[in-house]
Amino acid sequence: GGSCGDIVGALQSLPGTQKVGEDGKLYVRGGDSEECQTYINGMHVLRPYTTTEPNSPSRGRFSPFLFKGINFSLGGYDAEYGQALSSVLPMETTDAATSDKFGVSASLIDWNIGGTKATKTGSWSMNAAYMDMGMYNRLFPDNWTWHKPYRQLSGETQWKMEPTTSSVWKTYLGFDRTTLNLDTDGRTLGLGESNLYMNSVARGTARGGLSWFAGMAGSMVWEDIDGAISAGDRYRHRLGEVHVKTKASKSLSSAVKATLGGETFLRHAGIDYRSAADDHYSANIHLPALFAEAQCRLARHLFAEASLRSEYTSAVHHWSLLPRLLLNYRPTSNWLLTLSAGKYTQEATDTIQARSRETLCPSPARHYIAGAQYHFGKTHLRLEAYYKRYSHLPLLRQGGYTADGHGVSQGFDLYVDNNSLIPYLTTTLSYSYNDSRRFYLDYSEEAMPQYASRHNLRLSLKYGFNTWNFALTDSYASGRKSEGRTTPYYNSLDASITCLASKRVIVYTSLSNLLGRKNIYGYRNGQPITNGSRRFFYIGIFVSLKSNKAYDISNF
């Protein structure tokens, strides 16, 4: 309810995530949003969120209909994934389509057209979208004075092929351009951002049961902001990344499976800030890595996954050795007990590196997690406790960053999924307790991070029958620390309704914050930080123009 078809919005109903409504990004178990990294088909995405106006939640850049599987890890992930201190979000795109599709959609804010052409060995798809918030802002005015409304033009295409019965090749290319212009904090903010992402992977099985994978991804971001900090300034930010990965897996026996792989990140960052005092920054970083993993059955009900990752940072000429271990014990078909531990590292962001006195070394974090899952009837119960310790976090001292910061995050998550209360009703309850303390950035002492809340509770109801589906989500978060005081608690009741009007037409509507509560996320110079609008209403109509079933937007 209220996720508006956004992957990130839906994931925030799960335990372990913390509600940070002023930007809408994923914050996991006391970690910053930069510590959660997104992967598509095993390849890294440099900028997974859309850009929005100040104090407004971002959305994920990618449509959920692109994917057939999402494996959101809250910590303790294996050695294949690096450069993520808190969590990873791997997503797998759908397979090649077997039939042609063509459809359009329209709403108060956007218009889309897309389709798919199927062939004997695969499929080719395209989708184009244009978003313009001008009409919405006139119908539902917010707190901003707009000169140019939020606009985004985007397009994407995919090629999917199965050259042989044992191999698959997928390629994705997407581009979007976002612009806006408004008055805020005594200045006029003008933003223009372009984002390009390409992803191409191949996987298959060779003789002898050897499974192989090879992939390459490229990201480019051009960000231009006028009035970024003060009136008359100009900020230019250029980001680029090439990610290359290959791996191979083979079962050595009925009890042992081994994986070997390697990858490298080639990154470029450039910052040009023009104001009373001009600042410039440019850097090229090379981050190669090797990883190995062994999955073993130690006993009838006991399984282990041991992995080792080694990363090199060219900026400081430093190798990091990162061991990780996971144990799974399943005493009965209803129970699963887990233990995991591992070491993880991540480079500081380029905006921090630009203000550091010297090149910062990677920040390491150690994860220790214990969990239990229990199934009974139509109910699934999951409880997980964790402890994370950070070191060498960026710390601002005398106008420059050092690597002297540190922190700790501990707590537990509870998740209950039930389908037995009444027919057609699915109920989920998630609760997260987090005790996080950090001494980093511009903090003068160890304290709870401004984005962290100790308690997060969500209750979601989904009821579907015939051609109707109703969803309701209530979210609560305790107050957050900001400028020496605590904000009021956060609460939002969100709802959505979906109707299959005919075999070719879907009508979807959602409304966030039904009760209109004014949520405060923090304070800036004594003034509360709130959203530009308390509610967000959406209604969309999705029409299939060719197939004999309803068209899901971007479903290619």
Side-chain angles (χ1 to χ4, degrees):
S3 65
C4 248
D6 178 32
I7 293 174
V8 175
L11 291 176
Q12 287 175 351
S13 66
L14 297 177
T17 62
Q18 297 189 286
K19 190 66 179 181
V20 184
E22 67 269 36
D23 69 12
K25 299 177 182 179
L26 283 174
Y27 292 76
V28 177
R29 290 180 171 175
D32 186 88
S33 64
E34 295 289 343
E35 299 173 19
C36 177
Q37 298 297 315
T38 301
Y39 287 80
I40 294 180
N41 294 336
M43 307 306 296
H44 185 242
V45 180
L46 184 62
R47 184 70 68 86
Y49 301 104
T50 61
T51 297
T52 62
E53 63 269 23
N55 305 332
S56 296
S58 301
R59 290 173 59 88
R61 284 191 183 275
F62 306 100
S63 165
F65 296 112
L66 287 172
F67 307 103
K68 66 177 181 179
I70 296 176
N71 183 21
F72 184 32
S73 175
L74 300 173
Y77 33 91
D78 59 47
E80 179 180 346
Y81 300 106
Q83 293 300 310
L85 276 185
S86 288
S87 64
V88 291
L89 176 60
M91 300 184 288
E92 183 72 21
T93 59
T94 58
D95 296 327
T98 57
S99 61
D100 295 347
K101 303 174 185 178
F102 184 55
V104 297
S105 72
S107 73
L108 287 174
I109 62 174
D110 62 356
W111 299 265
N112 297 261
I113 184 170
T116 295
K117 179 63 178 178
T119 65
K120 291 182 179 180
T121 59
S123 63
W124 174 65
S125 308
M126 289 191 68
N127 191 73
Y130 176 66
M131 176 184 291
D132 190 318
M133 296 294 294
M135 181 185 299
Y136 185 92
N137 291 339
R138 288 192 292 270
L139 292 173
F140 307 100
D142 57 22
N143 298 331
W144 302 113
T145 299
W146 290 92
H147 299 291
K148 293 182 181 179
Y150 181 95
R151 295 188 177 111
Q152 184 182 77
L153 179 65
S154 60
E156 51 194 351
T157 184
Q158 287 192 98
W159 297 269
K160 301 173 184 177
M161 294 182 63
E162 297 179 5
T164 67
T165 57
S166 60
S167 63
V168 176
W169 175 48
K170 297 179 180 180
T171 298
Y172 170 89
L173 176 64
F175 175 81
D176 58 70
R177 171 68 179 173
T178 303
T179 60
L180 61 88
N181 193 284
L182 55 81
D183 290 339
T184 177
D185 294 333
R187 69 186 191 278
T188 298
L189 172 67
L191 179 142
E193 181 187 282
S194 298
N195 188 297
L196 175 68
Y197 178 71
M198 187 278 291
N199 177 312
S200 186
V201 301
R203 68 178 78 233
T205 303
R207 291 181 180 179
L210 180 71
S211 299
W212 57 271
F213 170 90
M216 182 180 70
S219 301
M220 286 294 295
V221 180
W222 300 266
E223 190 176 35
D224 301 316
I225 305 176
D226 295 327
I229 300 176
S230 60
D233 69 3
R234 193 178 73 177
Y235 176 79
R236 301 293 182 260
H237 193 185
R238 302 293 183 261
L239 286 171
E241 178 186 85
V242 174
H243 179 207
V244 180
K245 179 194 289 187
T246 183
K247 65 176 181 176
S249 302
K250 183 176 174 58
S251 295
L252 304 180
S253 69
S254 60
V256 179
K257 180 181 179 180
T259 300
L260 290 175
E263 67 178 351
T264 187
F265 296 88
L266 300 172
R267 293 177 176 173
H268 169 75
I271 296 176
D272 182 21
Y273 180 66
R274 302 293 179 90
S275 63
D278 293 347
D279 290 319
H280 308 277
Y281 170 78
S282 181
N284 295 289
I285 302 176
H286 185 203
L287 303 170
L290 299 172
F291 57 89
E293 176 185 312
Q295 297 174 332
C296 310
R297 185 175 70 243
L298 302 179
R300 183 179 179 184
H301 302 293
L302 181 62
F303 303 85
E305 183 178 298
S307 59
L308 181 65
R309 181 181 179 90
S310 181
E311 293 181 346
Y312 176 76
T313 304
S314 65
V316 292
H317 307 289
H318 175 72
W319 280 96
S320 299
L321 201 61
L322 312 172
R324 302 166 189 181
L325 177 66
L326 170 65
L327 295 174
N328 287 323
Y329 178 60
R330 188 179 290 277
T332 69
S333 60
N334 296 332
W335 279 96
L336 174 64
L337 306 177
T338 61
L339 288 173
S340 67
K343 184 179 180 181
Y344 305 83
T345 62
Q346 186 170 347
E347 298 293 314
T349 63
D350 51 323
T351 52
I352 288 178
Q353 293 279 18
R355 294 186 60 188
S356 62
R357 296 174 183 170
E358 57 185 24
T359 303
L360 300 180
C361 64
S363 300
R366 290 172 171 80
H367 295 194
Y368 305 93
I369 304 171
Q373 298 183 50
Y374 181 60
H375 291 268
F376 55 98
K378 294 183 178 181
T379 300
H380 174 66
L381 176 66
R382 176 174 177 169
L383 178 65
E384 201 164 76
Y386 60 90
Y387 176 81
K388 298 192 294 183
R389 178 168 289 279
Y390 300 87
S391 55
H392 297 302
L393 293 176
L395 181 66
L396 185 62
R397 286 293 176 266
Q398 297 179 350
Y401 282 101
T402 68
D404 298 328
H406 55 82
V408 64
S409 180
Q410 57 191 347
F412 66 90
D413 302 322
L414 173 66
Y415 180 72
V416 182
D417 188 320
N418 183 275
N419 296 280
S420 61
L421 295 179
I422 62 174
Y424 310 114
L425 177 68
T426 298
T427 305
T428 60
L429 173 70
S430 67
Y431 169 73
S432 299
Y433 171 82
N434 176 254
D435 177 18
S436 179
R437 301 182 302 279
R438 287 194 177 195
F439 182 51
Y440 86 138
L441 299 184
D442 58 351
Y443 290 21
S444 59
E445 60 183 9
E446 187 177 81
M448 177 178 285
Q450 190 274 332
Y451 55 78
S453 49
R454 185 148 301 188
H455 305 279
N456 281 264
L457 177 67
R458 293 96 167 182
L459 175 64
S460 297
L461 308 175
K462 186 172 67 174
Y463 184 74
F465 70 96
N466 295 331
T467 60
W468 291 88
N469 189 289
F470 303 88
L472 196 68
T473 300
D474 189 32
S475 302
Y476 163 86
S478 58
R480 293 156 48 186
K481 300 292 185 181
S482 179
E483 292 191 349
R485 51 177 167 162
T486 303
T487 67
Y489 69 87
Y490 169 92
N491 183 243
S492 180
L493 182 64
D494 308 324
S496 68
I497 300 175
T498 306
C499 175
L500 183 62
S502 73
K503 289 184 177 181
R504 298 189 178 190
V505 180
I506 295 175
V507 180
Y508 172 85
T509 182
S510 70
L511 178 63
S512 64
N513 197 13
L514 279 168
L515 304 181
R517 176 179 172 81
K518 182 180 179 180
N519 288 303
I520 296 175
Y521 306 111
Y523 301 94
R524 184 181 297 118
N525 299 323
Q527 298 300 312
I529 300 173
T530 62
N531 293 141
S533 178
R534 295 190 188 183
R535 296 185 179 93
F536 184 79
F537 174 71
Y538 179 88
I539 182 168
I541 302 174
F542 307 89
V543 183
S544 171
L545 299 180
K546 188 170 182 179
S547 66
N548 59 1
K549 59 183 179 180
Y551 172 74
D552 296 329
I553 189 64
S554 296
N555 186 6
F556 54 67

